[in-house]
Amino acid sequence: MNSLDSEKSVSANESANAAFVSSVCVPLLRNQQNEDGGWGFHPQAESRVEPTCWALLELMQVESSARDRETVQRGLQYLRSTQLPDGSWPATPGEKNGCWVTSLACWALCREEHGPVARGLEWLCKDWPWDSSPWQRFLRGLTAERSISTQNDAYRGWGWTPRTSSWVEPTSFALLLFSEVPETVLPSGSRKRRQLAEAMLYDRMCPGGGWNCGNPRVYGVPGEPLVIPTVWALLALRKYANRVENQMSLDWLLRAVQNAQSLASLALARICIETYGKSWPLPETRLSPFYERHGFLTNVAVTAWACLAWNPRPRLFTSSGRGRA
Amino acid sequence: MRDQGAALIPSFQRPASRVAIRRAESYEEDLGTLLYETLREFQLPVRGKTVLLKPNLVGFDPLGVMNTHPSVIAAARESFLRLGAAQVLIGDGPAMDRDTEGILESVRLREHVGGLKNVFVDLNTDDVKCVPLPTRASRLRELYLPKTALGVDFLVSMPKLKTHHWAGVTLSLKNMFGIVPGGCYGWPKNVLHWAGIDRAILDINAAARPDFAIVDGIVGMEGNGPIQGTPKRSNILILGDDPVAVDATCCRLMGLLPEKVKYLPRAGSFLGHINSEMIQQVGEDIPSTRSSFAVLPAFRHLVDEHSSFGRRAAQKTG
């Protein structure tokens, strides 16, 4: 195949994928909204905050009709109705404690209104992980645990759930939120939290670049990076795109995506790689056959990520890291 | 719906448990027949029932030592169907990576099982139900658990025979961490670590006790498990109707003392038997199938120093 044929083929794939997303994926997302306005992780599943946020982030990008706007408004109302009195959001209905989905809910809401978002941000800024508290660090210094890992516990991000440890993905989600909301909405303590969290992410990077859940080295053995945590960390740190750690991790991602076997990894990697201004390295990827083999549309979050990755429109993230709200 | 409260009372009484050890030289053997014949001996009440197989799926595993091997999972599924089960589901909630589909593809489960649609359940994103914990081993008082795991008639824990750098060993009881949904608690399910791994193991198994266990010990892992350890070939499958007894037997097969694994003696007081006198051994015997597993220095106290295997293991761990 000569270069002209190759370009035509790439262009045909991109068009086919965009058509698949707009004709199959987006309608599926619309149709999977529950009566209460939220989305479950799977069709007919009960509404949860996380899949609702991913579906909304996609549908807010494409809303074009009155029906779309109504779908989005019902989704946002679901989020408003599930916020807990302390400003956080729970992972599942009935749960009385908030968790990492608070960042996602604020992110989805922040383009519409700032009241609930400000309360969510307040909660996030008060939610300190326990592993890095002075008392825990003192205790760890007395035990054999200090030899297990080499991470710097002075850096603090966010845990998946309150009163636990800092991890890469929830920390990245909080940083992404901070970069999306206007400065005027950010609480006073947010600058310090952001600096500590960014330092924590760099500290938790795997030795050759990339991130896993947050264990770069255990018992002296380097941890293996994973695509999804690497994507979120790179997006959270995108304003430092030229730092050597970012470039190493981006290089790792560009290599790793060649072997990615799921649409979740492919879609998120594509969002990240394009946000960093690089060309998508797998132009031959075709969503339709991928779906026939894997049936990924049964997962609302993955469907939303695929839409966000292949819909031809402004990217989810600006490369600079300041919100578009 | 499974009876949540049954057999959980601390002063439990149950007849002797049965544990079978079967030799299997490789994953290419006819594991379907081997498992079917063995399961038939147990006369399990699965006819017309829904069975959930809960393997240990961790991540990309080119050496086949980290995850329950797909051929064992497929053989177990086929066997339960042959025994008359109406439906045999496979479900897990990987702890370290939320890309369940990527993990399933990397372990080639689809190829072995022949399609996963309506067969595999991602327990990380399943609908959940709040379950008050019937025990108070940890400070956890309730957990949101997947409705699929709570709703099936017969739950089978299918771990890999591995050492673990936090818990000492990871077998059928520890494998149940995988039913705790990442969609509620994250990746990893760090709340369980903060509650105390050993204690959380007891609480989870009291809330959703496996009815049966099948351990993949054809190739396991020693040393810095459950992810970064060294492959360890034992060429055995261990099956039993009491996950505590199965885990105790596995420890003995690994040259480790079950009484020294933090959570096992407590599990032995209310969940099942660890005393070998209360475990009816069928199939191969322990001495002829035992092989010493190296452990990290922090777990050297687990090594059975009185066996020749144990002495060797102690030397290996330094």
Side-chain angles (χ1 to χ4, degrees):
Chain A
M1 189 185 287
N2 63 36
S3 62
L4 193 59
D5 290 340
S6 174
E7 277 174 30
K8 277 184 185 167
S9 167
V10 167
S11 173
N13 282 346
E14 288 294 307
S15 301
N17 288 340
F20 183 77
V21 160
S22 60
S23 64
V24 178
C25 300
V26 173
L28 260 164
L29 274 186
R30 288 185 186 119
N31 294 336
Q32 285 172 4
Q33 187 175 33
N34 289 329
E35 282 291 306
D36 60 10
W39 280 261
F41 277 109
H42 304 280
Q44 283 91 50
E46 64 183 0
S47 297
R48 306 271 285 270
V49 171
E50 183 175 4
T52 298
C53 292
W54 295 123
L56 280 173
L57 284 168
E58 161 56 23
L59 293 175
M60 284 191 289
Q61 302 271 96
V62 295
E63 62 175 287
S64 54
S65 64
R67 189 178 160 228
D68 279 347
R69 280 190 289 280
E70 188 198 331
T71 301
V72 167
Q73 286 307 318
R74 286 177 57 221
L76 293 172
Q77 183 53 35
Y78 172 81
L79 290 183
R80 287 183 206 104
S81 70
T82 49
Q83 188 172 26
L84 296 171
D86 65 4
S88 67
W89 273 266
T92 190
E95 171 63 77
K96 296 177 188 66
N97 296 305
C99 66
W100 87 94
V101 299
T102 299
S103 297
L104 302 179
C106 288
W107 183 8
L109 279 164
C110 72
R111 293 173 198 180
E112 291 285 319
E113 56 187 313
H114 293 152
V117 175
R119 289 168 51 220
L121 285 163
E122 286 284 350
W123 181 86
L124 279 166
C125 284
K126 288 177 185 164
D127 175 41
W128 291 94
W130 273 14
D131 63 328
S132 49
S133 68
W135 175 242
Q136 288 294 334
R137 286 157 60 192
F138 171 73
L139 286 180
R140 205 158 28 251
L142 299 177
T143 67
E145 231 184 281
R146 65 185 162 180
S147 63
I148 294 172
S149 65
T150 54
Q151 65 210 35
N152 186 340
D153 289 328
Y155 302 137
R156 312 178 78 175
W158 279 268
W160 291 99
T161 52
R163 299 176 293 281
T164 56
S165 309
S166 301
W167 296 97
V168 166
E169 284 164 87
T171 299
S172 302
F173 291 146
L175 287 173
L176 282 166
L177 169 66
F178 285 3
S179 72
E180 290 295 305
V181 296
E183 289 280 1
T184 52
V185 184
L186 289 171
S188 56
S190 65
R191 184 181 295 272
K192 183 184 174 195
R193 291 300 306 259
R194 195 168 6 181
Q195 287 169 347
L196 285 171
E198 288 170 351
M200 182 228 121
L201 287 184
Y202 282 120
D203 184 60
R204 301 286 185 95
M205 192 184 80
C206 292
W211 283 264
N212 55 30
C213 62
N215 292 321
R217 194 180 287 274
V218 179
Y219 285 112
V221 182
E224 291 288 328
L226 296 167
V227 168
I228 294 178
T230 297
V231 164
W232 293 124
L234 275 171
L235 289 170
L237 298 169
R238 65 194 186 280
K239 68 179 173 182
Y240 310 110
N242 293 326
R243 271 182 69 150
V244 65
E245 295 97 328
N246 292 51
Q247 289 302 316
M248 276 170 65
S249 299
L250 189 60
D251 288 346
W252 177 85
L253 183 63
L254 285 162
R255 290 193 303 275
V257 76
Q258 308 281 345
N259 299 316
Q261 299 187 64
S262 73
L263 192 72
S265 286
L266 285 169
L268 291 175
R270 179 175 162 114
I271 292 169
C272 180
I273 288 166
E274 293 195 339
T275 298
Y276 270 74
K278 300 275 186 188
S279 300
W280 175 236
L282 298 171
E284 71 280 9
T285 306
R286 289 286 300 270
L287 292 180
S288 173
F290 206 96
Y291 168 60
E292 281 157 23
R293 190 157 71 97
H294 298 258
F296 59 81
L297 295 182
T298 60
N299 186 314
V300 165
V302 176
T303 304
W305 293 338
C307 295
L308 289 165
W310 273 281
N311 240 345
R313 51 150 186 248
R315 291 183 196 135
L316 181 62
F317 300 102
T318 56
S319 57
S320 65
R322 180 48 36 210
R324 298 174 306 160
Chain B
M1 175 71 76
R2 289 157 54 79
D3 183 352
Q4 295 295 310
L8 302 176
I9 303 159
S11 57
F12 88 111
Q13 285 187 324
R14 63 164 288 162
S17 307
R18 293 184 76 202
V19 176
I21 303 170
R22 298 289 185 211
R23 278 194 193 278
E25 299 300 322
S26 79
Y27 292 108
E28 283 69 50
E29 270 190 28
D30 181 6
L31 299 179
T33 302
L34 180 69
L35 285 183
Y36 172 70
E37 295 296 341
T38 308
L39 289 170
R40 211 168 54 155
E41 291 175 31
F42 281 88
Q43 297 183 319
L44 302 173
V46 295
R47 182 165 292 281
K49 306 288 188 179
T50 298
V51 175
L52 175 66
L53 306 178
K54 193 312 190 173
N56 182 212
L57 301 175
V58 183
F60 182 57
D61 180 20
L63 298 176
V65 296
M66 197 195 295
N67 306 299
T68 308
H69 198 281
S71 63
V72 178
I73 302 169
R77 183 164 187 273
E78 175 194 321
S79 300
F80 279 107
L81 287 170
R82 282 179 72 188
L83 288 168
Q87 188 181 21
V88 182
L89 302 170
I90 303 166
D92 194 11
M96 310 302 279
D97 185 357
R98 69 180 300 164
D99 188 3
T100 303
E101 186 192 352
I103 294 172
L104 295 180
E105 288 305 312
S106 75
V107 302
R108 297 186 296 123
L109 189 61
R110 191 185 308 275
E111 290 170 38
H112 283 80
V113 172
L116 296 177
K117 196 176 178 192
N118 300 323
V119 172
F120 186 86
V121 182
D122 184 351
L123 299 180
N124 279 329
T125 57
D126 197 22
D127 276 353
V128 292
K129 178 184 170 190
C130 185
V131 178
L133 297 176
T135 46
R136 291 283 183 271
S138 75
R139 62 181 166 77
L140 298 170
R141 292 294 171 264
E142 61 184 31
L143 277 173
Y144 284 85
L145 295 175
K147 286 183 177 174
T148 299
L150 297 171
V152 294
D153 302 303
F154 199 81
L155 177 57
V156 183
S157 180
M158 295 190 65
K160 193 86 165 165
L161 192 69
K162 292 192 290 191
T163 53
H164 191 281
H165 59 206
W166 299 116
V169 291
T170 173
L171 300 163
S172 59
L173 296 177
K174 170 69 176 64
N175 182 41
M176 295 304 287
F177 265 36
I179 71 161
V180 177
C184 294
Y185 300 102
W187 291 262
K189 301 148 186 182
N190 194 218
V191 68
L192 302 178
H193 295 81
W194 278 85
I197 292 178
D198 303 297
R199 294 160 187 263
I201 289 171
L202 298 169
D203 282 336
I204 293 166
N205 280 275
R209 186 177 185 275
D211 299 284
F212 201 81
I214 302 174
V215 184
D216 170 11
I218 296 176
V219 179
M221 182 184 285
E222 64 179 356
N224 186 14
I227 295 172
Q228 296 172 320
T230 310
K232 175 73 177 176
R233 180 173 280 279
S234 299
N235 292 340
I236 47 173
L237 295 169
I238 307 99
L239 301 84
D241 58 9
D242 169 1
V244 181
V246 167
D247 286 8
T249 302
C250 287
C251 286
R252 293 177 178 116
L253 288 163
M254 298 162 88
L256 306 174
L257 295 163
E259 302 80 13
K260 300 278 183 166
V261 176
K262 259 190 186 171
Y263 59 87
L264 270 178
R266 288 191 71 187
S269 71
F270 72 102
L271 280 173
H273 294 303
I274 68 166
N275 186 339
S276 54
E277 289 172 11
M278 292 300 289
I279 302 173
Q280 184 193 342
Q281 206 74 57
V282 297
E284 306 289 335
D285 61 20
I286 291 175
S288 69
T289 45
R290 179 165 21 200
S291 57
S292 64
F293 275 56
V295 293
L296 291 171
F299 293 99
R300 202 174 161 182
H301 63 281
L302 301 184
V303 176
D304 182 358
E305 302 277 3
H306 297 296
S307 73
S308 58
F309 293 103
R311 284 195 294 276
R312 234 177 292 151
Q315 286 164 5
K316 282 166 76 176
T317 56

